[in-house]
Amino acid sequence: MSNYITEPFDGLSPAEKLKLLNQKLGNSSDLVHTELFLGKFGQLQLHLLYMKGITATNEINGIAEALQLSMGQQRLSAYDTFLEEKGGLLRTLAVPAAHSQQIAGLEQMTAYLLSGQLLILAEGSRQCLAVNVSGGERRPVSEPATETVVRGPREGFTESIETNLALLRRKIKNPNLWIENRQIGRISQTDVAIMYLNGIAKEEVVKEVRARLDAIDIDAILESGNIEEMIEDRKASVIPTIISTERPDVVASGILEGRVAIFVDGTPFVLMVPVFFIQFFQAAEDYYNRYTFSVLRVLRMFAFGISLLGPSLYVALTTFHQEAIPTPLLISLAAQREGVPFPALVEALIMEITFEILREAGVRMPRTIGQAVSIVGALVLGEAAVQAGLVSPAMVIVVSLTAISNFVIPVYNLALAVSMMRFIFMILAATFGFFGISAGLVALLLHLCSLRSFGVPFMSPFAPMSFSGLRDSWLRFPIYWQKFRPPFLSPKNQRRMNDNVSEGEQNN
């Protein structure tokens, strides 16, 4: 219970308000109406209205008990509120008064009711008191299912925007951590919040985020992915330019660097902008282990290359460039493919599509059996395909290594994009060999360099080059060497560490 709002309705009695409200809500069964008779002789009748399931019932019961106890007292210190008007008097109510404002209209009354507020109407008064008692059943804070770590915080975002904002407040206790709220969706009226550090986040980026969110005109926003599609710089690109995460520590780190976080009520995935391409290979654990272990980022990038080009290289080598294969290996491959009736491209397509079907089945099936089905299905189908002579054993190895490498990519959206681009490279390899693969890589690199994330170069710190940004790119340098924020994110306040660590202390 954090605030109350006083609302005048001229010319309407509580009974008329209730009738109009029921008509507007279609006599919904989850609208609860409770009557209280207060005073020594029950001369004051109050009507309590709230929506079942989205309000905290224990708080409502507490308010009702406090109302009954307070009517016989003259003063209740900070909880007293006298609401007087020409047409009547709403007596002293035991409700915390942190913020109030005058509003009017049945539309606003309905909006407060549907957002989890308790409405209190009194007979003989033309005023309505709205008390914030939003609550109901919510999922508790738990470990993120999609971003697990060995070392680091175990808390993750939930579907409650209030809880998610509070998780960030606990991590960054600074008055410059600003939050701006808005509602998006003509019908859903979904709560959306942007969070950033004033003085560190680039003002142009903050203004651009506001403008793009305010430009959204749609019936409903049900998940942060709906907003992501509508605020991206290059909507037709398969490469994501907005990152989503379930981890509060990742969002806190991004905000401290000058990024803007976008929270959407009803989803545990928080969006962060702007982002760099190199961020898609960084895991939260990289910053909790010693910097020497950040070599795992190079491993992830190598896995990215295998996932993108593995089958296409095999197709190009076996179709056009047999001279590049060592003779013993070439003889072995030729023997394996002797009974295979399909060309290398068709063979690769069969295996890739089969794996994608198995992966999708594993995701959609119940968790207890999905993983077992995907693993057993891959083993059985792979072995059966080899025994039937549909594919060669070498192709099974290539596709398996490609699939495992795809899972190494930390960000799921990029992993899906790589899966799509893999088929394009396979077709290029089957058509033009290494020349097709090279042309595809050049086109991909040019596309990446042309992308921007909310006006910031997507390929920074490589293009354009930023030497300070390179200290947290391919590898993570020691923390005491990362004294500056990325220049494209916070041009006015770049320094994040003072020179208070001597070289001798660093070396020791």
Side-chain angles (χ1 to χ4, degrees), residues 234-240 413-414 416-418 420-421 444 447:
R234 194 79 67 86
K235 296 178 176 59
S237 175
V238 70
I239 303 294
N413 285 353
L414 182 62
L416 290 179
V418 169
M420 295 176 60
M421 293 187 293
L444 177 61
H447 176 66

Side-chain angles (χ1 to χ4, degrees), residues 117-432:
Q117 306 259 355
L118 168 67
L119 301 185
I120 304 176
L121 296 91
E123 290 290 347
S125 173
R126 294 185 301 170
Q127 293 181 333
C128 173
L129 187 69
V131 186
N132 186 5
V133 291
S134 60
E137 294 296 329
R138 293 177 177 174
R139 183 171 65 90
V141 176
S142 59
E143 185 174 2
T146 58
E147 298 174 79
T148 58
V149 295
V150 176
R151 179 176 181 177
R154 292 292 192 272
E155 60 184 8
F157 289 124
T158 69
E159 286 74 19
S160 169
I161 190 171
E162 293 88 357
T163 302
N164 297 343
L165 294 174
L167 290 173
L168 265 295
R169 282 291 187 192
R170 293 194 186 104
K171 290 186 177 295
I172 306 177
K173 305 176 182 69
N174 191 289
N176 289 322
L177 184 64
W178 288 6
I179 300 174
E180 299 178 9
N181 296 309
R182 53 189 24 86
Q183 288 185 330
I184 301 178
R186 293 191 300 267
I187 296 177
S188 67
Q189 292 292 301
T190 305
D191 291 324
V192 177
I194 63 174
M195 177 184 285
Y196 60 94
L197 269 174
N198 182 48
I200 292 180
K202 196 175 180 180
E203 185 60 30
E204 292 81 359
V205 172
V206 177
K207 290 181 179 178
E208 186 66 22
V209 172
R210 292 194 196 109
R212 296 190 188 185
L213 289 177
D214 294 338
I216 297 176
D217 185 13
I218 193 173
D219 284 346
I221 295 293
L222 302 179
E223 214 273 340
S224 58
N226 303 147
I227 289 182
E228 181 180 357
E229 279 190 51
M230 290 184 282
I231 65 174
E232 281 184 309
D233 287 69
R234 194 79 67 86
K235 296 178 176 59
S237 175
V238 70
I239 303 294
T241 55
I242 298 175
I243 202 167
S244 61
T245 178
E246 286 187 274
R247 298 189 60 87
D249 54 329
V250 173
V251 175
S253 176
I255 289 176
L256 290 169
E257 286 187 335
R259 293 182 172 87
V260 180
I262 304 173
F263 295 78
V264 180
D265 193 26
T267 176
F269 289 93
V270 175
L271 306 178
M272 265 200 314
V273 295
V275 296
F276 305 143
F277 181 66
I278 195 66
Q279 274 185 264
F280 291 91
F281 301 98
Q282 298 172 356
E285 208 168 13
D286 295 344
Y287 298 92
Y288 305 136
N289 291 321
R290 287 181 56 83
Y291 67 92
T292 51
F293 299 137
S294 64
V295 69
L296 292 175
R297 287 186 186 175
V298 179
L299 182 63
R300 295 184 199 120
M301 296 171 195
F302 182 68
F304 169 81
I306 294 177
S307 178
L308 182 65
L309 301 176
S312 58
L313 290 175
Y314 176 84
V315 171
L317 285 171
T318 56
T319 305
F320 293 101
H321 308 284
Q322 294 90 346
E323 69 280 0
I325 306 175
T327 303
L329 179 59
L330 180 60
I331 295 173
S332 176
L333 292 176
Q336 294 176 24
R337 288 188 48 79
E338 185 176 357
V340 177
F342 305 113
L345 174 62
V346 176
E347 186 182 2
L349 289 175
I350 291 175
M351 291 302 299
E352 284 291 337
I353 293 174
T354 302
F355 172 77
E356 293 298 332
I357 292 174
L358 287 172
R359 181 169 67 171
E360 188 68 12
V363 171
R364 305 302 165 198
M365 294 184 69
R367 185 175 300 179
T368 53
I369 61 174
Q371 186 176 5
V373 168
S374 59
I375 294 175
V376 173
L379 292 174
V380 172
L381 288 178
E383 180 66 22
V386 171
Q387 293 294 331
L390 298 177
V391 296
S392 62
M395 177 56 75
V396 174
I397 295 173
V398 170
V399 172
S400 302
L401 181 60
T402 300
I404 294 173
S405 299
N406 191 259
F407 290 127
V408 177
I409 301 174
V411 180
Y412 183 67
N413 285 353
L414 182 62
L416 290 179
V418 169
S419 298
M420 295 176 60
M421 293 187 293
R422 187 187 306 139
F423 289 94
I424 299 176
F425 277 96
M426 288 164 53
I427 296 173
L428 290 174
T431 307
F432 304 105

Side-chain angles (χ1 to χ4, degrees), residues 59 71 99 120 177 182 384 482:
E59 293 189 23
M71 296 310 296
H99 172 72
I120 304 176
L177 184 64
R182 53 189 24 86
Q482 300 180 40

